[in-house]
Amino acid sequence: MLWDPYWGSTYQGGSVCQASQSVSDLVEMHKAESTYHNSGSHYNLAFFQPICSVLTDCTQKCEVPVVSTYCSDTGETNENFYYHVGREKGESKVNIGPRGSEVSCESAAGCGFSRCLFSDCGFKVSVSISGKGAGASGEMAGGDLWNWAHATGRTCKNGR
């Protein structure tokens, strides 16, 4: 591979690799659940942005970053002494591979809710990803009341 300062790109086997990016539509996922509520619910909303890129070293990059995640508790609960406190978490797996091959990437995001005596209690949540590309699934841990994870994935080939 040779770097060409005139073109700002790399030659590989006689071809020029110029950086490019293909951004897909924003993926929106949401889930609501109403355990221990007279009205309203626990709510989780996540946005993901699938991106396939060709890099100047003639490799390709697959990523699905978590753009945002939102957890809320709305309405009236049927528990007199407890707050419903939510925590959110996101995780992404970015992969780089040779141009011409299939490169998969995945992300997951979610939230967990716990019953707490105070409005700001300490508990942790985590999210994990299994599967590859479009077969990605997410699992949320933490939150003794309710938790949920969304996952999405992508497979890129030649920056698309």
Side-chain angles (χ1 to χ4, degrees), residues 28-33 41-48 68-73 87-89 109-113 140 146-150:
E28 175 183 339
M29 298 178 160
H30 55 90
K31 176 78 174 176
E33 181 278 334
S41 64
H42 307 111
Y43 185 73
N44 176 221
L45 173 66
F47 291 96
F48 304 91
S68 67
T69 183
Y70 174 72
C71 296
S72 70
D73 185 52
R87 299 275 188 271
E88 57 194 50
K89 187 74 173 177
C111 64
F113 283 88
M140 194 76 186
W146 178 76
N147 61 41
W148 188 262
H150 306 285

Side-chain angles (χ1 to χ4, degrees), residues 34-101:
S34 61
T35 301
Y36 298 110
H37 280 81
N38 293 327
S39 65
S41 64
H42 307 111
Y43 185 73
N44 176 221
L45 173 66
F47 291 96
F48 304 91
Q49 184 70 69
I51 302 170
C52 296
S53 304
V54 172
L55 307 177
T56 57
D57 65 356
C58 293
T59 60
Q60 59 181 335
K61 180 179 178 181
C62 181
E63 59 185 320
V64 188
V66 178
V67 175
S68 67
T69 183
Y70 174 72
C71 296
S72 70
D73 185 52
T74 61
E76 179 184 321
T77 68
N78 59 14
E79 298 185 299
N80 293 329
F81 299 108
Y82 294 105
Y83 291 92
H84 291 186
V85 177
R87 299 275 188 271
E88 57 194 50
K89 187 74 173 177
E91 182 74 33
S92 296
K93 292 182 181 178
V94 176
N95 286 308
I96 296 175
R99 192 169 182 192
S101 65

Side-chain angles (χ1 to χ4, degrees), residues 18 25 38 88 115:
Q18 291 185 310
D25 291 338
N38 293 327
E88 57 194 50
R115 289 183 191 95

Side-chain angles (χ1 to χ4, degrees), residues 12 15-23 51-55 58-62 95-104 154-160:
Q12 181 180 15
S15 63
V16 176
C17 296
Q18 291 185 310
S20 64
Q21 197 172 65
S22 173
V23 180
I51 302 170
C52 296
S53 304
V54 172
L55 307 177
C58 293
T59 60
Q60 59 181 335
K61 180 179 178 181
C62 181
N95 286 308
I96 296 175
R99 192 169 182 192
S101 65
E102 290 188 345
V103 180
S104 297
R154 177 76 190 254
T155 300
C156 299
K157 187 170 182 179
N158 296 328
R160 296 174 197 244

Side-chain angles (χ1 to χ4, degrees), residues 24 77 94 107 125:
S24 297
T77 68
V94 176
S107 283
V125 294

